[in-house]
Amino acid sequence: MGKKLALLSGAAVLAVLSGIPDAYAAKTRVETSAHPADEIQVRFDPQARQTRVAGSVGSDQCFAFALPQEWHSMTGGLDTRLKSTLSDAELQVSLRSSHELRGLPQPDLTSRDAALLQQDYENLLGRPAQSVSLASLSPGASRWSATWIDANLPGGPMTVEAFIVPLSEDWVLELSFSHLNAEGEYNALSRSLLTGLSVHEGGRCAGHAAFRTDRATE
């Protein structure tokens, strides 16, 4: 069984269950000026023992979710990396402009984003994936994964994975975990993230609903 890996910024490979060589370097995301995204906000709630994460695109489209325990933001902007204070676990939260997906033949943003992720990785690894899947999960979210079984790869057989959430016609949210100690931890964190993930429009985005103490008002 190959290593289970996660996506970083659309191009770098990091191991979820173990590390791999640093030869897999992150590619810089192409940033656009159309409808710029606000900085992603991260706040730990000590009473609830959870970290709330929220971000918006313009003034009328936003997303929010919560992670168990305390996490800190290590980077900002369109690509924000969160680090758990209790383990080595990290979560990459990335916003991709639909401008990057123009010209791809797939019928919707999710499948176009998945196709670009696959293209990025195949270019990075220099060979096509042997297995690719795109599965719908909770409403509005999909899981993309691709597997390379070539034993000649520096890290051996591997699978890369990311959660894709279209926010609007202009932006797609990508979420991926890395540096987890066990598959059970990965499954638990993924389930927690997707269960609490919400996307809002219009006035409900004011002040980032994820940071309100009364969750029922969201």
Side-chain angles (χ1 to χ4, degrees), residues 97-171:
S97 168
S98 62
H99 289 274
E100 295 184 53
L101 307 176
R102 286 180 175 177
L104 293 172
Q106 286 74 19
D108 54 61
L109 281 179
T110 296
S111 56
R112 287 198 292 275
D113 191 68
L116 188 56
L117 292 177
Q118 180 181 343
Q119 177 181 305
D120 285 345
Y121 272 102
E122 290 181 341
N123 290 339
L124 183 67
L125 298 175
R127 64 207 72 193
Q130 279 72 50
S131 175
V132 179
S133 69
L134 180 63
S136 296
L137 302 174
S138 57
S142 298
R143 178 191 284 115
W144 167 82
S145 66
T147 299
W148 287 258
I149 59 175
D150 190 340
N152 293 322
L153 289 171
M158 64 180 68
T159 296
V160 295
E161 184 171 284
F163 300 111
I164 301 173
V165 184
L167 297 178
S168 67
E169 295 180 354
D170 299 308
W171 291 94

Side-chain angles (χ1 to χ4, degrees), residues 9-71:
S9 301
V13 183
L14 293 179
V16 169
L17 301 183
S18 59
I20 63 172
D22 293 335
Y24 296 113
K27 290 168 56 179
T28 302
R29 180 181 298 282
V30 177
E31 304 213 5
T32 66
S33 59
H35 308 292
D38 294 339
E39 184 173 355
I40 295 170
Q41 299 184 33
V42 181
R43 183 175 300 172
F44 175 60
D45 182 343
Q47 293 185 334
R49 300 303 301 171
Q50 63 180 203
T51 299
R52 298 175 180 176
V53 182
S56 64
V57 180
S59 60
D60 61 354
Q61 195 79 37
C62 61
F63 66 90
F65 60 86
L67 296 170
Q69 302 303 323
E70 186 173 5
W71 296 64

Side-chain angles (χ1 to χ4, degrees), residues 7 19 54 174:
L7 172 74
E174 297 170 356

